[in-house]
Amino acid sequence: MAKLQPVRGTHDLLPEEARRHQYVIATFRDLAERYGYGQIETPIFEFTEVFDRSLGETTDVVTKEMYTFQDRGGESLSLRPEPTAGIARAFISGGLAQHLPLKFFAYGPMFRHERPQKGRLRQFHQLDIEVLGVPEPQADIEVIALGAHLLEILGVREKVTLELNTLGDTASRTAYRDVLVEYFSGHEASLSEDSRMRLRRNPLRILDSKDEGDRRIVANAPQMGDYLNDVSKDFFARVKDGLDALGQAYTVNDRLVRGFDYYTHTAFEFTTTLLGAQSAVIGGGRYDHLIEYMGGPSTAGIGWGCGIERLVMLLDEPPAAERPVAVIPVGADGETEALVLTQQLRRAGVKTDIAFRGNVGKRMKQANKVNARAAILVGGDELARGAVALRDLDTGEQVEVARGEIVARLGGN
């Protein structure tokens, strides 16, 4: 029988790595709640139409990367490749328009069948922030500031650069789109196959092409800033002024785009040079027409997503896990009392470990293996006197403590 392996592009989170992931999630959750965001959880699979509508039937994600299958009822379902579409669907199907504005945070697994690479898996995990029903630039400023604040708390803000751009309002974007089509049509024969397909459908995505030949053509393409109307210029200026007021440094990158027509105004990424070709750590933007495009009421929206795996790769060592206390029975007479004491300590809030087998020496080795801060030896003469032996595993000092006092001694409540 062949040795069982995880599916390519998936990864087991063993305890130490899981601890790092949970540290990121806990930090994110606490910060999002501090900013007034409420948690939302949507299913990991949706009707495929949810993603066809939100991501576009011709995108690489939909045509090449989504895990799509038919259920037993013949419905086409897809594992979620990103969280925003599901949240927009929940907003529509839940009739949440009457509760605007809404501020959501979410986290969980996403799925894309793409080539596994550094920091990018086929099942990956993502943090997500969304603000719905706020068309003013203050929402843009807040979500960017929240992302920067998260990176700061995690100790990686200095490792990333905030890149910022504007896509303009619908009128500006339409004017720019027409100019791009004209420009790229003059170079159509030299474009990659993917970019030739995008030329008529969403030419802005050509600006983000990774093909070297495309990039040479893009270098001389018209710039969005030259086609912004006054409304768009004013909106972008207010976003930049707000970030300036908060002391958030940024670089304007006029090639930073979002290809779909429902995106407007602000697009941004926190990028790094430390993760190879995949440089974005947090990416987001304003999507004022997405919910309407999906069949809901006209609703402004802005948000960002952050890959947990990639963020963890930037972390220095997070705070150490709490060290446990080890309870060690001494002889058969200590076994039952050790079990009772272990449960009392745990109920009192003390992190406690107990080895299930072995003599005292082997159980002490287990205590050292789990990095216990102290060991409680239960049994022998101490037990007969109604006491236990408490050993500090850092100093080796050992004292006798009355059995009824040990929980309070170790910080229980």
Side-chain angles (χ1 to χ4, degrees):
M1 180 177 178
K3 185 178 180 181
L4 291 176
Q5 297 289 331
V7 175
R8 185 168 185 260
T10 66
H11 180 61
D12 297 314
L13 286 179
L14 299 177
E16 182 57 30
E17 190 171 359
R19 182 177 71 85
R20 297 169 71 87
H21 274 238
Q22 288 304 314
Y23 170 66
V24 168
I25 290 170
T27 303
F28 168 70
R29 183 189 187 99
D30 289 346
L31 187 63
E33 290 179 343
R34 192 189 313 175
Y35 276 65
Y37 290 68
Q39 185 174 358
I40 184 171
E41 291 190 29
T42 61
I44 64 170
F45 58 90
E46 300 270 359
F47 289 116
T48 302
E49 181 186 15
V50 170
F51 304 115
D52 284 348
R53 288 194 181 194
S54 62
L55 298 175
E57 294 180 354
T58 62
T59 64
D60 287 349
V61 173
V62 171
T63 61
K64 301 177 182 179
E65 298 173 3
M66 262 191 346
Y67 284 95
T68 297
F69 58 95
Q70 279 197 343
D71 69 2
R72 293 182 179 180
E75 299 281 6
S76 179
L77 305 177
S78 295
L79 299 179
R80 63 186 182 192
E82 57 84 37
T84 305
I87 293 173
R89 191 273 310 148
F91 173 83
I92 296 168
S93 62
L96 300 181
Q98 60 184 321
H99 301 294
L100 292 172
L102 292 166
K103 297 164 64 171
F104 294 129
F105 74 89
Y107 54 86
M110 311 292 157
F111 306 85
R112 293 190 185 187
H113 189 280
E114 57 184 342
R115 182 175 63 86
Q117 53 191 296
K118 188 176 182 180
R120 176 66 76 188
L121 299 169
R122 289 175 175 175
Q123 177 180 318
F124 58 100
H125 299 80
Q126 194 163 319
L127 309 175
D128 187 68
I129 285 290
E130 309 290 351
V131 177
L132 302 178
V134 184
E136 293 81 8
Q138 283 80 1
D140 308 50
I141 298 163
E142 179 175 287
V143 300
I144 294 172
L146 197 164
H149 197 170
L150 174 65
L151 297 173
E152 179 184 336
I153 293 174
L154 294 174
V156 302
R157 181 65 181 91
E158 298 304 315
K159 299 178 182 180
V160 302
T161 299
L162 171 58
E163 298 185 8
L164 192 67
N165 195 23
T166 178
L167 306 175
D169 62 9
T170 300
S172 297
R173 187 184 178 94
T174 299
Y176 183 51
R177 185 186 189 281
D178 291 343
V179 170
L180 279 184
V181 169
E182 182 179 356
Y183 171 77
F184 286 125
S185 293
H187 300 272
E188 186 169 1
S190 302
L191 291 173
S192 67
E193 181 180 354
D194 283 345
S195 288
R196 286 198 297 273
M197 291 177 60
R198 293 166 179 163
L199 179 56
R200 301 293 184 266
R201 290 167 177 163
N202 57 22
L204 267 73
R205 294 199 63 222
I206 301 176
L207 299 176
D208 198 35
S209 173
K210 302 301 186 289
D211 180 88
E212 288 301 322
D214 290 347
R215 292 172 75 88
R216 287 191 290 270
I217 297 170
V218 166
N220 296 313
Q223 297 185 1
M224 180 76 210
D226 295 332
Y227 298 90
L228 296 175
N229 57 26
D230 290 342
V231 171
S232 300
K233 290 177 181 177
D234 178 67
F235 192 100
F236 194 40
R238 292 167 67 188
V239 172
K240 292 186 291 183
D241 287 346
L243 294 174
D244 291 340
L246 297 179
Q248 291 297 337
Y250 56 85
T251 299
V252 175
N253 176 2
D254 56 22
R255 296 308 189 202
L256 178 60
V257 298
R258 299 288 183 265
F260 304 111
D261 289 341
Y262 50 74
Y263 280 107
T264 60
H265 294 299
T266 312
F268 61 93
E269 288 183 351
F270 289 89
T271 63
T272 182
T273 60
L274 303 178
L275 296 178
Q278 295 293 322
S279 62
V281 178
I282 294 177
R286 177 168 281 278
Y287 51 87
D288 285 352
H289 303 300
L290 172 61
I291 290 176
E292 184 177 8
Y293 188 74
M294 292 179 66
S298 179
T299 307
I302 184 169
W304 55 251
C306 173
I308 297 178
E309 282 83 1
R310 309 189 65 209
L311 187 53
V312 165
M313 291 169 65
L314 291 177
L315 287 182
D316 295 326
E317 183 60 30
E322 179 188 355
R323 297 173 69 189
V325 169
V327 177
I328 299 175
V330 179
D333 61 339
E335 291 282 356
T336 299
E337 187 60 27
L339 287 172
V340 172
L341 177 57
T342 298
Q343 197 68 358
Q344 288 176 337
L345 287 166
R346 289 168 173 168
R347 288 184 178 277
V350 179
K351 184 176 181 180
T352 311
D353 185 81
I354 184 169
F356 295 114
R357 63 164 67 111
N359 58 29
V360 172
K362 288 183 177 179
R363 297 195 197 212
M364 286 297 296
K365 288 182 179 179
Q366 174 65 18
N368 290 322
K369 183 177 180 180
V370 299
N371 194 30
R373 58 187 173 98
I376 306 171
L377 288 85
V378 183
D381 294 340
E382 289 90 357
L383 184 61
R385 293 192 296 271
V388 296
L390 176 63
R391 184 181 300 178
D392 186 315
L393 294 182
D394 291 328
T395 66
E397 180 184 0
Q398 182 168 310
V399 296
E400 186 174 301
V401 180
R403 171 68 177 81
E405 298 176 3
I406 188 63
V407 174
R409 175 74 175 261
L410 290 170
N413 44 49

